[in-house]
Amino acid sequence: MNKIPRRQFIRNSLLATAAFKAWPLFAQSSVKSRIIGANDDIRCAVVGFNGRGKNHIEAFGAMKGVRLVALCDVDSAVLGKELQKVTDGGAKVEGYTDIRKLLENKDIDAVTFATPHHWHALGAIWAAQAGKDVYVEKPASHNVWEGRKMVEAARKYNRIIQVGAQCRSSLGLQEAIAWLREGHLGKIIRARGLCYKRRESIGKTTGPQPVPETVNYDLWCGPAPLDPPRRNSKKNGTIHYDWHWFWEYGNGDLGNQGIHQMDIARWVLGEPEISPRVISIGGRLSYEDDGITPNTQIVFHDYKTAPLIFEVRGLPAGSNSTRMDEYHGASIGVVVDCEDGSIVIPSYTKAIVYDKEGKEIKTYEEGGNHFENFMQAVRSRKSTDLHADILEGHTSAALVHTGNISYRLGKPLSPEAIRDATKGDSDLAESLGRMEEHLGANKVDLHQTPLMLGAVLKMNPKTERFTNNRKANQLLTREYRNPFAVPEKV
């Protein structure tokens, strides 16, 4: 496999941006949006569809009163394949590689994003500035600072921005959480989110990897550094999916799958802001590969209502097992312990209520259509009609980011030292004990490959800044690469 010298790689890639150095100054001009009538079609574009974006195309392409008019992807092979599908179905759709060109199209009312995380905020903000409404996949942002900028852009330009937290549109979960908040199970003791999802090693490379010829890598990197890929999973290739396990682009499984359950747990607690105190413990254990983010992690958010505890496990139940661990019957879900019982939410739409003796007493299970909820709000022009407005999405994503910041500022310690550091909090100590048992079942020697004990971070939820911690505050944002910088003033 041919390797690309870094200097030559960067020089070649930069040629693609030269024509757009002054963009997106159009966004600062006065942009008037089309007034959509009750009988008008909402003209929709989808950006990024090598994964979840395919669901966007299918949903909006089949939705009454919505017309799919444009597709955009930086991979010409992916773009061509999806364009062929929709045109074969009779739709008239324009194709774009560069989102900036798409946003210049005044015949587009709404844009949906299923790009890698590092593009979510900039794409949504540019779209809002261009007078488009936005549906952006979870997590809303790649870091805390840019998430707040998304909220500011939505309010300044009067744009509807829905985050892809589809659990919020489940009628079953809406009813279950409302019932819980009425006090039927007494005081909430703790809310625990679970992401026990198998994640295999992505392998180890010997150096930078070549970019597929069909990918405009300068656009793919966007706000992130223009560094050659350093991953080569046989399953996912050098570009797609495994970006989740690198801080430059993703947020680990905490922000990949886990954001759904993090959002539900905060929803249950009714907490409207970022937690005032957070600590994380974890590591990337059992294999050595190019991935950076932890495959095993605990995040403890110290809310006043009750603690929000999150657990990530990418390893199976044991070294000779293919199944995943479960906690109260759930591998991916939320468990809420209360004075007089508990609720287990094992899926996006189902909630099971148990009494103090563990007897099932009630079940809620009814779905909803998150895409349709977005379009309803586009017509009403009321962000309050959204089930997952950008402010909700930003706050839940921020819990992911602050948890990861604690982890990234941590240091490896012996099991004994970590146990000693956590013994003052029974909930955290209990989670740590079960984590150690899980790792032991996977034959992980924590003296040889120790866990990271994250920094204990205190935050002012109003300012969304950490208290007296410069390094932590630096990680609330990132260095952006021009011309792909999230603006200070949206």
Side-chain angles (χ1 to χ4, degrees):
M1 182 175 290
N2 295 325
K3 305 296 190 294
I4 304 173
R6 176 179 168 81
R7 184 176 298 173
Q8 177 186 343
F9 171 85
I10 293 177
R11 185 187 303 116
N12 293 344
S13 298
L14 283 173
L15 293 175
T17 55
F20 285 101
K21 276 292 183 182
W23 207 92
L25 294 181
F26 86 89
Q28 304 304 323
S29 63
S30 177
V31 180
K32 293 185 178 180
S33 303
R34 181 176 73 112
I35 298 176
I36 301 171
N39 298 318
D40 292 333
D41 280 348
I42 298 170
R43 300 164 301 184
C44 183
V46 177
V47 181
F49 34 83
N50 198 53
R52 173 67 174 162
K54 291 185 177 70
N55 301 108
H56 291 208
I57 293 172
E58 294 171 1
F60 293 117
M63 194 177 296
K64 185 178 180 180
V66 178
R67 183 153 44 93
L68 189 65
V69 297
L71 297 178
C72 178
D73 199 285
V74 299
D75 188 331
S76 61
V78 173
L79 176 63
K81 183 178 179 180
E82 293 306 316
L83 275 175
Q84 188 66 52
K85 285 182 183 178
V86 296
T87 54
D88 286 350
K92 185 178 180 181
V93 178
E94 293 188 57
Y96 297 85
T97 299
D98 195 319
I99 183 181
R100 296 167 292 193
K101 284 293 185 182
L102 179 147
L103 293 176
E104 291 173 357
N105 187 339
K106 294 181 174 57
D107 294 326
I108 296 173
D109 303 309
V111 183
T112 81
F113 292 91
T115 62
H117 301 173
H118 67 290
W119 256 109
H120 285 183
L122 185 61
I125 290 169
W126 278 357
Q129 292 174 327
K132 322 295 186 189
D133 294 313
V134 174
Y135 182 110
V136 60
E137 273 301 335
K138 51 74 191 170
S141 61
H142 183 255
N143 62 62
V144 176
W145 177 82
E146 68 182 21
R148 176 53 62 178
K149 294 301 167 183
M150 296 170 79
V151 177
E152 291 175 8
R155 304 305 185 243
K156 178 177 180 178
Y157 296 100
N158 192 29
R159 292 296 92 200
I160 300 298
I161 302 186
Q162 172 97 303
V163 177
Q166 61 262 39
C167 305
R168 293 262 180 170
S169 285
S170 163
L171 297 178
L173 295 194
Q174 290 172 9
E175 292 175 4
I177 292 173
W179 182 86
L180 178 66
R181 294 251 197 98
E182 290 170 357
H184 294 284
L185 291 180
K187 186 182 185 305
I188 297 174
I189 298 172
R190 69 187 67 82
R192 190 187 308 272
L194 309 170
C195 177
Y196 298 173
K197 192 167 187 175
R198 183 72 175 110
R199 298 299 183 188
E200 302 280 356
S201 166
I202 66 171
K204 192 77 173 173
T205 57
T206 58
Q209 301 298 301
V211 177
E213 293 181 358
T214 59
V215 174
N216 183 323
Y217 193 61
D218 180 66
L219 288 175
W220 190 95
C221 289
L226 189 63
D227 294 332
R230 57 186 190 279
R231 55 197 183 278
N232 191 28
S233 167
K234 294 179 181 179
K235 179 179 179 181
N236 300 310
T238 60
I239 300 297
H240 303 301
Y241 200 81
D242 285 337
W243 53 262
H244 282 289
W245 323 129
F246 295 83
W247 298 123
E248 296 96 326
Y249 322 113
N251 308 99
D253 232 352
L254 193 61
N256 179 25
Q257 171 62 53
I259 180 60
H260 287 296
Q261 287 68 45
M262 184 76 80
D263 181 60
I264 294 172
R266 186 180 67 83
W267 181 16
V268 165
L269 294 178
E271 292 284 357
E273 296 176 327
I274 306 174
S275 70
R277 178 176 173 271
V278 62
I279 182 173
S280 178
I281 303 169
R284 194 168 186 89
L285 304 165
S286 184
Y287 51 70
E288 184 179 352
D289 65 358
D290 284 322
I292 302 297
T293 64
N295 63 14
T296 302
Q297 189 176 15
I298 299 169
V299 175
F300 183 90
H301 286 288
D302 196 7
Y303 274 121
K304 183 178 180 180
T305 301
L308 192 166
I309 308 163
F310 205 93
E311 300 178 358
V312 173
R313 296 185 185 180
L315 302 176
S319 58
N320 297 318
S321 177
T322 57
R323 68 176 185 85
M324 298 305 293
D325 275 344
E326 292 185 350
Y327 183 83
H328 288 243
S331 290
I332 298 175
V334 175
V335 178
V336 185
D337 295 316
C338 304
E339 288 178 318
D340 299 320
S342 62
I343 286 186
V344 177
I345 302 172
S347 72
Y348 293 170
T349 61
K350 187 175 184 178
I352 309 167
V353 182
Y354 298 91
D355 63 16
K356 292 179 71 172
E357 285 69 45
K359 179 182 178 182
E360 183 177 327
I361 58 175
K362 188 186 288 282
T363 299
Y364 297 88
E365 188 169 15
E366 188 174 354
N369 193 314
H370 205 51
F371 294 126
E372 284 187 355
N373 175 243
F374 169 60
M375 288 303 177
Q376 289 165 1
V378 169
R379 292 193 184 278
S380 73
R381 308 310 309 160
K382 296 178 181 178
S383 61
T384 52
D385 287 345
L386 291 171
H387 293 154
D389 173 65
I390 182 57
L391 179 58
E392 296 287 358
H394 157 61
T395 307
S396 290
L399 299 185
V400 166
H401 305 324
T402 57
N404 280 333
I405 290 171
S406 169
Y407 172 82
R408 294 173 71 179
L409 293 178
K411 56 184 178 180
L413 291 176
S414 69
E416 294 80 12
I418 294 179
R419 286 184 212 126
D420 186 63
T422 58
K423 64 183 180 182
D425 192 298
S426 59
D427 285 321
L428 183 56
E430 188 271 343
S431 289
L432 174 64
R434 288 188 295 101
M435 172 193 275
E436 289 183 340
E437 290 178 7
H438 169 68
L439 292 172
N442 280 278
K443 299 182 179 180
V444 174
D445 184 342
L446 291 176
H447 289 96
Q448 295 295 320
T449 53
L451 289 166
M452 298 281 287
L453 175 63
V456 178
L457 300 176
K458 294 182 179 180
M459 169 168 275
N460 182 333
K462 300 296 182 185
T463 64
E464 298 182 350
R465 300 277 295 175
F466 292 111
T467 304
N468 300 322
N469 196 314
R470 181 180 57 84
K471 290 184 178 180
N473 281 323
Q474 288 175 337
L475 291 175
L476 290 172
T477 184
R478 72 180 307 161
E479 286 190 20
Y480 292 95
R481 185 173 67 92
N482 288 325
F484 304 102
V486 172
E488 177 74 35
K489 294 183 178 180
V490 298

